[in-house]
Amino acid sequence: MNDRVIIRFEHVTKQYDDDPPVLDDVSFEMERGKFYTLLGPSGCGKTTILRLIAGFIEPTKGNIYFNGKLMNGVPANKRQVNTVFQDYALFPHLNVFENVAFGLRIKNLDKKTIETKVREALRFVNLEGYENREIHEMSGGQRQRVAIARAIVNEPEVLLLDEPLSALDLKLRTEMQYELRELQRRLGITFIFVTHDQEEALAMSDEIFVLNKGKIEQRGTPKDIYDEPINRFVADFIGESNIIPGKMLADFSVEFAGKQFECVDHGFEPNEPVDIVIRPEDLEITTREQGKLQVRVDSILFRGVHYELCCYDDNGNEWLVHSTKKAEVGEEIGLYFEPEAIHVMRRVETKENRGGER
Amino acid sequence: MRKKLKISHLYLIVVFLILYTPIFYLIYYSFNSSGTMHHFEGFTLDWYKEVFADTRLLIIVLNTIVIALFSAAISTIIGVFGALAIYYAKRKQIKNALLTLNNVLIVSPDVIIGASFLILFTIVGIQLGFTSVLLSHIAFSVPIVVLMVLPKLQEMSPTLVDAARDLGANSWDVLTKVILPYITPGIFAGFFMALTYSLDDFAVTFFVTGNGFSTLSVEIYSRARQGISLSINALSTLLFLFTITLVIGYYFITQRSQRSSAVGGRK
């Protein structure tokens, strides 16, 4: 086993009573010093994984290893991980300094060390001079930073972040995305970040785990996941996409929307039914004659950076197009795309039976 | 101004007048030099002097305060742990059952509680006196403390406990460094409530006091039966002022807890 691995899940299942499992036979490894994101809709089990790592809950089945040591049965206060909670969970009866010092005081460090470490941690999150503030005097973004300082002051090997940005407004959230990423690079420790926001996940992560119904649908770099979604769920969840049923005629040739197209995917059975994905920004508007596909514009929406066109082809498939060019509602237009823009997915494809090498 | 004085305001004023008039009537005549409650002759503090000269009465006052402080302190400790037990009860039915049992004790008449304690103490063989009064006061104060503390526990975000454990705190640290500081306003409120309940309790105490031991409310009752002396008015006035002080203290504590809960209860 390679010693870069810091967290390992072995066939971990978590089930409450007779309900369907929240986490269903999940196995994975995480390496030290990377920024991981667990991404999925609510109820997919992402927070469960976090709570299992933190030690707030125990797995029903399976083993969790930390640095190669079995963690089952080790209580949360004995684990080398710290958590930033969704509601920050700052202690309202303590001021900023004491909140950050909490973990150090538990460890009975001497006064001077505590003072130095707390100040350092607060400097790390740009909160110098706020030591004596009460928690209720701090804004949402500042509380967020206090929560991060309180966690990193204990020098954990892994920092768990449970949707920490969800309570912030859009502008602050984008700022914090940069800051968190920067913080992770400076600290060099593993971050495990839980979110349901795919943009957040794409912007920050070294690697994304896409979860659905207690299973990992796909793991990979943001680019992999965005460009090569493994199935309909991932394609749908990550970004906006056109998912059209089609048929793989042969290697490098696929049929959809009643036409035959050249593509770069291969390794499928002849005539295998597939789903094809084309991202809205990969579609270009041209004239009817020059386009590979002929569609009619149904509606148009100005989105700031681009126009969002909703079009229908002759077979009734819906096509979402992001373009800086404007078209008129009802206009017949052509859509052009490169063969590389077509991504072919096997129906109900999971990681195990993945085909279609590119 | 005219518009503001609605019927509802008028009603409120009348009700409060009716409720407070007897008390102020009593206070007023405690300064009467004539010794009766129907003809005010002149201002005097003699009755107050009489109260302070009465050593038996002063001992009883001391008894009452000692009982109140002890029972409030002990019932606060028991009540806090009771509230924690109810809060941490895993199954919902058990939680509700415990809470209902607790509330029944609050609403059940003092006479029944007093009588049942009398029976209990006679059967067990506890001599009626200081101990029996203290035990019964603790017993009827515990449910009140539980009721004051439990809402504070429930408003606490459970992630606070997770956060403390995450930072390395063991169960004892979690209790002493997070939970207890958080529910402190509730604990104080419970303590003060228990204190006032113990101070002015008559019915329960009446049943379980024995020879040679008495509390203020029982003493006032027996003196009033022997004939009216205005020293009782003076004593009642002092008692009333003391209670008012407690209520004001309680008010400031709840004010403070409201301010701090504006932070802690946020999601």
Side-chain angles (χ1 to χ4, degrees):
Chain A
M1 195 199 314
N2 104 45
D3 62 347
R4 290 200 53 79
V5 171
I6 188 156
I7 287 171
R8 190 151 59 91
F9 270 47
E10 258 181 21
H11 303 288
V12 171
T13 297
K14 180 68 192 173
Q15 193 166 14
Y16 294 99
D17 301 324
D18 292 330
D19 296 344
V22 195
L23 217 55
D24 190 5
D25 192 24
V26 167
S27 300
F28 63 84
E29 287 177 351
M30 284 178 173
E31 291 180 10
R32 59 183 82 241
K34 281 197 176 182
F35 197 122
Y36 290 96
T37 300
L38 307 178
L39 176 67
S42 58
C44 68
K46 54 191 193 299
T47 300
T48 308
I49 292 182
L50 213 64
R51 294 179 65 81
L52 281 166
I53 298 173
F56 301 137
I57 50 175
E58 287 291 323
T60 315
K61 262 184 273 173
N63 295 326
I64 298 169
Y65 295 92
F66 188 84
N67 272 336
K69 269 186 288 183
L70 186 65
M71 275 293 124
N72 297 35
V74 177
N77 52 335
K78 297 268 192 296
R79 296 195 186 192
Q80 281 293 310
V81 295
N82 286 108
T83 311
V84 177
F85 292 86
Q86 189 171 9
D87 63 354
Y88 315 144
L90 297 173
F91 305 119
H93 57 280
L94 301 175
N95 66 16
V96 170
F97 184 92
E98 286 303 321
N99 259 285
V100 178
F102 190 91
L104 304 176
R105 291 220 193 279
I106 296 278
K107 282 186 209 139
N108 271 326
L109 296 185
D110 65 275
K111 232 176 158 185
K112 246 185 126 183
T113 319
I114 291 179
E115 175 95 22
T116 323
K117 286 194 174 203
V118 170
R119 286 192 194 283
E120 196 186 0
L122 285 174
R123 200 171 56 236
F124 238 89
V125 294
N126 296 323
L127 275 184
E128 276 174 300
Y130 286 87
E131 286 85 356
N132 295 319
R133 292 277 190 102
E134 293 299 323
I135 297 303
H136 62 89
E137 294 170 338
M138 307 288 274
S139 70
Q142 290 171 330
R143 286 179 199 191
Q144 169 81 75
R145 287 159 204 261
V146 177
I148 293 169
R150 186 178 68 174
I152 61 172
V153 78
N154 302 291
E155 293 159 13
E157 287 183 65
V158 176
L159 186 69
L160 308 172
L161 302 107
D162 186 5
E163 305 208 24
L165 307 184
S166 61
L168 305 179
D169 61 61
L170 183 66
K171 195 165 174 293
L172 205 53
R173 201 156 67 217
T174 325
E175 272 176 40
M176 284 307 288
Q177 285 174 13
Y178 281 106
E179 282 193 31
L180 278 178
R181 182 72 235 219
E182 181 56 33
L183 191 67
Q184 190 268 334
R185 289 212 180 101
R186 277 193 290 162
L187 291 169
I189 61 173
T190 310
F191 273 35
I192 304 176
F193 184 88
V194 160
T195 183
H196 60 260
D197 182 335
Q198 43 97 8
E199 276 178 42
E200 227 164 75
L202 292 172
M204 298 163 79
S205 324
D206 286 319
E207 206 169 314
I208 299 176
F209 289 62
V210 183
L211 287 114
N212 185 32
K213 293 179 185 157
K215 286 206 177 277
I216 297 174
E217 296 276 355
Q218 186 174 4
R219 66 174 283 187
T221 64
K223 199 165 165 16
D224 277 352
I225 295 223
Y226 190 80
D227 290 341
E228 315 262 318
I230 204 162
N231 58 26
R232 188 174 255 273
F233 173 82
V234 178
D236 214 20
F237 197 76
I238 307 281
E240 285 170 292
S241 51
N242 297 295
I243 305 174
I244 310 289
K247 196 162 70 174
M248 203 69 189
L249 299 172
D251 284 354
F252 311 114
S253 177
V254 63
E255 182 195 290
F256 59 88
K259 287 187 174 180
Q260 204 174 319
F261 297 94
E262 183 195 340
C263 69
V264 291
D265 299 73
H266 57 92
F268 293 85
E269 301 289 315
N271 291 325
E272 187 182 332
V274 290
D275 283 324
I276 71 112
V277 177
I278 303 181
R279 296 288 179 187
E281 65 272 21
D282 289 339
L283 293 167
E284 270 175 62
I285 297 175
T286 62
T287 57
R288 237 179 125 71
E289 294 70 37
Q290 284 178 322
K292 285 187 174 181
L293 259 174
Q294 284 69 41
V295 296
R296 203 174 54 79
V297 181
D298 188 59
S299 63
I300 185 160
L301 204 65
F302 181 60
R303 283 291 206 88
V305 187
H306 54 71
Y307 290 100
E308 183 174 291
L309 284 75
C310 180
C311 312
Y312 287 94
D313 64 17
D314 297 336
N315 295 27
N317 295 313
E318 188 185 344
W319 293 92
L320 207 60
V321 183
H322 288 173
S323 168
T324 47
K325 283 189 219 158
K326 195 172 189 286
E328 295 304 320
V329 172
E331 194 183 338
E332 299 278 342
I333 55 167
L335 295 178
Y336 178 79
F337 46 87
E338 300 290 334
E340 289 81 16
I342 302 172
H343 171 62
V344 180
M345 302 184 301
R346 191 161 267 160
R347 292 270 172 89
V348 261
E349 188 168 7
T350 57
K351 231 153 111 186
E352 287 75 33
N353 66 358
R354 168 133 205 222
E357 297 301 315
R358 280 183 88 141
Chain B
M1 269 317 266
R2 264 184 67 91
K3 265 191 181 170
K4 278 199 170 172
L5 198 74
K6 288 191 199 123
I7 301 240
S8 59
H9 290 98
L10 203 71
Y11 175 76
L12 207 65
I13 289 166
V14 169
V15 167
F16 273 111
L17 270 181
I18 292 172
L19 288 174
Y20 275 91
T21 305
I23 296 174
F24 285 113
Y25 183 82
L26 182 145
I27 292 174
Y28 179 65
Y29 277 103
S30 72
F31 300 107
N32 189 4
S33 59
S34 85
T36 58
M37 271 212 268
H38 41 78
H39 178 66
F40 196 86
E41 226 175 57
F43 180 84
T44 177
L45 286 175
D46 285 351
W47 304 115
Y48 289 87
K49 279 183 202 147
E50 198 181 309
V51 168
F52 285 110
D54 188 342
T55 42
R56 178 185 143 79
L57 197 63
L58 288 182
I59 287 171
I60 288 171
V61 169
L62 219 60
N63 280 344
T64 312
I65 291 172
V66 167
I67 288 275
L69 286 175
F70 267 96
S71 72
I74 296 171
S75 60
T76 301
I77 294 167
I78 299 173
V80 167
F81 282 105
L84 284 170
I86 293 176
Y87 178 70
Y88 277 112
K90 286 231 166 61
R91 291 181 53 197
K92 220 177 159 154
Q93 293 99 312
I94 295 179
K95 195 179 260 193
N96 286 336
L98 285 172
L99 200 59
T100 312
L101 283 175
N102 184 69
N103 293 347
V104 164
L105 282 181
I106 291 178
V107 295
S108 59
D110 282 357
V111 180
I112 293 177
I113 293 179
S116 58
F117 272 122
L118 181 60
I119 297 166
L120 176 74
F121 291 143
T122 359
I123 292 175
V124 178
I126 293 173
Q127 222 182 4
L128 297 183
F130 179 80
T131 323
S132 64
V133 173
L134 181 64
L135 285 177
S136 58
H137 278 214
I138 291 170
F140 72 67
S141 297
V142 167
I144 298 160
V145 177
V146 169
L147 217 61
M148 302 302 286
V149 172
L150 202 56
K152 281 304 280 184
L153 276 173
Q154 278 160 347
E155 105 186 7
M156 186 177 74
S157 162
T159 51
L160 280 187
V161 175
D162 280 346
R165 286 204 296 147
D166 189 69
L167 295 167
N170 57 29
S171 305
W172 177 251
D173 291 328
V174 170
L175 181 69
T176 55
K177 295 202 169 78
V178 178
I179 297 179
L180 288 183
Y182 190 90
I183 60 171
T184 301
I187 294 175
F188 272 109
F191 177 80
F192 274 99
M193 284 296 270
L195 204 63
T196 45
Y197 266 72
S198 167
L199 277 179
D200 68 4
D201 176 72
F202 170 74
V204 177
T205 317
F206 188 66
F207 275 97
V208 295
T209 47
N211 279 340
F213 187 83
S214 185
T215 65
L216 213 47
S217 48
V218 176
E219 180 69 12
I220 291 174
Y221 171 76
S222 55
R223 286 192 180 197
R225 271 167 47 115
Q226 283 160 14
I228 301 152
S229 158
L230 286 194
S231 64
I232 293 174
N233 287 34
L235 186 57
S236 306
T237 304
L238 292 174
L239 208 59
F240 179 73
L241 289 178
F242 186 62
T243 319
I244 288 277
T245 322
L246 283 188
V247 169
I248 291 170
Y250 172 74
Y251 170 80
F252 277 113
I253 281 164
T254 44
Q255 280 293 99
R256 217 184 63 191
S257 83
Q258 261 162 19
R259 240 177 296 137
S260 68
S261 73
V263 192
R266 274 177 85 137
K267 258 271 164 195

